[in-house]
Amino acid sequence: MNQLLSLLILIPLVGGVITYLVGRFNKEATKYSALSISIITGILFLLTLTKFNIKIGKYQLVEEYSWLNSIGSQILLGIDGLSATLVGLTILLTIVAIGMSWKKIKKKKKSYYPLLLLLEAGLIGVFLSLDFIIFFIFWEITLIPMFFIIAIWGGERRLYASIKFFIYTHLSSLFLLISIIAIYLHSPIQTFSIPVLTEITQTFSPQLQLMIFIGVFIGFAVKMPIVPFHTWLPDAHVEAPTPGSVMLAGVLLKMGGYVLIRVGYMMLPSAIDLAMPILAIISIVTMFYAGFVAMGQEDLKSLIAYSSVGHMGIVLFGVASMTVYGIAGGIYQMISHGLISALLFSICGMIKKDVGTRKISKLSGLAKETPTLTGILVFGSFAGLGLPSLSGFIAELTVFIGAFSTWEIYTILAIISLIVTASYFIWMLQRTIFGESQLNSKEINWKIEITSLIPLIILIIIFGVYPDLLFDYINPFVKLITSI
Amino acid sequence: MVMEYAWLIPVPLFIVFGINILLNKRLKNRTSGYLATGAVAFSFILSTLIFISSLLTGSKFHGSVTWFQLGEHVIKAGYLIDPVSSLMLLVVSLVSFLVFIYSLEFMEDDRSKPRFFGELALFSGSMTGLVLADNFLLMFIFWELVGLCSYLLIGFWMEKSEAASGSKKAFLITRIGDILMLSGIMLMFTQIGSFGFEETFNSFGQLSGDLQTITLLLLFGGAVGKSAQLPLQVWIPDAMVGPTPVSALIHAATMVKAGVYLLARISPLLSSSPLVTSIIAYFGILTALFGAYSALTQKDIKEILAYSTISHIGFMVFAIGVMGYSASLFHLFNHSAFKALLFLAAGVVITETGKHDITKMGNFWKRGKLVPIATLIGCLSLAGIPPLGGWFSKEMILTATMQGGNYILVSLFILASFLSPIYIFRWYSLIFSTNRRKKVGDKSSGYLMVLPIVALATIAGLAGLFNSSFNEWMPWSLHHGSHAILAIGSTLVVLTGFTLAILIYHLKLIDINRIKENTLFEILHKFSFNALYIDDSYTKLGFKAFSFSILASKFDDKYVDGVINAFGAFGRKVSSKSKSFDDIGIDGVVNGVADSIKFSSSLARKIQTGLVRDYSLWILIGTITILIILKISGG
């Protein structure tokens, strides 16, 4: 069986159609259909992992189908350490998102669950594609379901937020496309194959690489996002329904990090080398700026959204250091942040449902009202501020160790930003969980939601205590790409 | 050999934490406490066995397993048993055990008992883990976990607003130190490629001199935060809002000693850097003076003890700075016993009177003699009155200071030890001595609260006997110096302080109010009561950071986002202008096409925010940019 990777994309895609058809007969059945399809995808992924040789950093299980031969594009799929971890994250978070939708999504279920599966298929496609044309198609596909999820199932200002999200990220994709076309035009071989082009682009002159990198940079800087390209994110998050936020922060932002490594670092190393100090400064600014802005937020959800911005700054910082540690730590941070932000956004949605508000100043006394939710919020906050023994710490540690050997002063500045991160989380906890309660809990039964969060909690702890589970996938890949 | 099983010490405590937190309310209130006490009793027995075996044989044990692969380095995790860690293990598990027993009664009526004992068990587990760790990374992980427990337990009574701010302050201030320490650890790792103590000690010499100094100062920064030394001492007094057993265990006996333990651990590195040790010595002695001076005038029964803790840890840090490592650890041991004792006694006083202000107390001597006498032993040891443990350790520190021959340090040390008896006997007299006007409540404490106090008093009373065998056991060679005159002199100074306190506060032969009328004393009093206003200036700084964050978020909303929205508005304007131009132009020329225009504009209007128009504009901009880039890049 050598069609594992295409099946990983096709199952959620076809499953989405099936779910839609199921919905025409029985609306309630859509969620069961979606859940079983996402679980099947998960099982298939585990099967893929058994065939995946973790000792090799290169693409494996490669599939090749001819497609647009005239322009040199083909359907080329492959998996390596970077894509394996991100595909795993996508699949896990889709299941979590379905769990979080289970009771909360009430209208238009018939279209909701197929869109979620389409999103999953698009994301897996992005991470597995080794041809720029299909990569870009999947890249754009992910925007559509996300746009509708925000626009239909979102909050009050959902139209504004969804359109802003769409235009902003779509525009940035155009810059990425320009760079891809530029690479294509400069290549002596007419091909869109990423592995082939990777070898070619590395021989480009640094100036040319830098020109191409500018487009790539705008592409991932908006997606990740990096200050000052971040303002679509808080709006999109605040208005998105909880499962939408889970997918958005958990996986969609990682597409930016993925491009940073796959296209930025692997294809244009001289450009990164030239831009290193600028990237370092941008990421430090991102960490501090996002931290201070998060501190000033009134809405719990936008606080978490800004914390995402800060955390992604660490990814950029790690990769820009161009060291084994920095890149490995950056990838670790992407996975860790995916888990933590999914947890935080979920718990935030549950709190809003339970006590009727997300305003930090009104949430005081939360511990009295909903001890369990409070417990998870405290756990998530400490995971977010990088408490050792949780996954975020290992990521930050690895990034900073890597960065130390490249820049001393910048790294110390970046480490100081951890104090800001701790401050806004702790200060938020002071204003929410403590104090006399003025809230009224509806005492909703959260069994399904909490059950779907348990895997996140367990993984955050496991990745914090036993990092090899993830490093085994990341390290060979990073060693390969840094050895060039 | 019993030492091989040392890794088992924290395990039952972590399990109990898991059980208590997961089952929480489903657990019977009593069961949670018994479970935790059982677990800590196991740790205590095992620690005692290890302690005895280390004391008798003086042997060491080091066990480790492969942990994970970091870049090209394999990171190991393991545990290290030597005299230093076995002493710390004994201190931690002993005080934990007694405090857990005490809490069974102290927290009797609290409904959140499972959470309390769960978090307390997590603390004891992490603290023993910190002591056992054989490398900096593992130590740092536990270092942060004890910080987390401290945060959770200070804020245990969540409805109190002081608990919320106190716990926040404790976590964030120590976090500053932790970040410094983490930087130091990472700096070492980038140079040496290992987190292990042994490897680090072996290859530290290869680092350049400046780098050595910076690394050691960064590690010292961690100790400053955790052990509440100047200038990061402000969190301890506020941490006193937590339940009293927590103050006794975490903020007096164990966690705050982690900094001293770290410094003792890295003593092989410190010995090679006289600059760093002298910096440590000055920080320590200034903190000792600051703490003692601030303790003189406080009114809160626990805050006085908190400032006293700051002061005494200052002594320990100072002792490290003058290379008196075994003196420092002996003082650590004594202090853990007598300070835990005083806090537990304060807990008894608070539960029985319901008050915190010692100026409103008195007559406590009348409530059974056991607690007052036990407390008296603790106070005598703290004050440094012979022949109690506290006197021996102070003399040892003084001997070590004399070795250095720095007379500024010697006189500062004697000044600080002069203040200890004054503030602690002010504390004791105001609470316990006879005072007709003050009434005592009628609640009384049961044996579960009294027994741990008596046990600690026994230890504090007898500790002095072991000072010479302690010295032989410790890994550092002791310089035997004969400074008999100085020893007698400093003891006389301490006794003078003691007499003064008795005259003023117990016998009331000197009227303190008349002294206060003196302007100089008034100013001194004010500065002492406000702890040199350090805390207030930090609060102001915190407010500044807060208002800056509000400003930042407004800036983000107004300008960064504003630019984007302005772009959007601009796009809409341009497209509506071109549309109206279209309308007029095409309308004027070809009437027949009007219908189709109407149709398309109604389509555009349907999408309220003008998605299609904006989008087409962006595509236009995008295409132009493509062309420009292709042109520039010579395509």
Side-chain angles (χ1 to χ4, degrees), chain A residues 174 176-187 192, chain B residues 626 630:
Chain A
L174 286 180
L176 180 62
L177 184 63
I178 297 166
S179 293
I180 291 173
I181 294 171
I183 291 173
Y184 177 73
L185 291 178
H186 280 90
S187 153
F192 279 103
Chain B
I626 295 182
L630 288 181

Side-chain angles (χ1 to χ4, degrees), chain B residues 88 91-92 95 123 127 130-131 139 143 146 222-223 225-229 235-236 248-265 308-310 312-314 316-317 320 328-340:
Chain B
M88 256 330 250
V91 170
V92 172
V95 180
F123 171 76
M127 191 66 210
L130 190 157
V131 173
M139 190 186 195
W143 183 277
V146 293
K226 207 51 131 198
S227 292
Q229 298 295 290
W235 62 273
I236 279 214
L249 177 60
I250 301 184
H251 305 115
T254 57
M255 186 190 83
V256 288
K257 309 280 171 59
V260 180
Y261 178 70
L262 170 70
L263 293 178
R265 262 271 161 268
S308 158
T309 304
I310 293 175
H312 277 262
I313 299 176
M316 295 169 216
V317 170
I320 300 259
S328 176
L329 288 182
F330 194 52
H331 195 61
L332 184 152
F333 178 80
N334 286 324
H335 179 262
S336 296
F338 65 65
K339 195 49 74 58

Side-chain angles (χ1 to χ4, degrees), chain A residues 189-209:
Chain A
I189 312 168
Q190 209 186 32
T191 178
F192 279 103
S193 154
I194 295 178
V196 176
L197 286 175
T198 303
E199 305 210 336
I200 293 168
T201 48
Q202 285 171 358
T203 61
F204 285 0
S205 73
Q207 286 79 7
L208 179 59
Q209 286 195 24

Side-chain angles (χ1 to χ4, degrees), chain A residues 12-30:
Chain A
L13 200 64
V14 176
V17 178
I18 295 172
T19 305
Y20 183 75
L21 294 176
V22 167
R24 298 187 67 157
F25 299 106
N26 183 350
K27 278 186 189 167
E28 269 308 293
T30 45

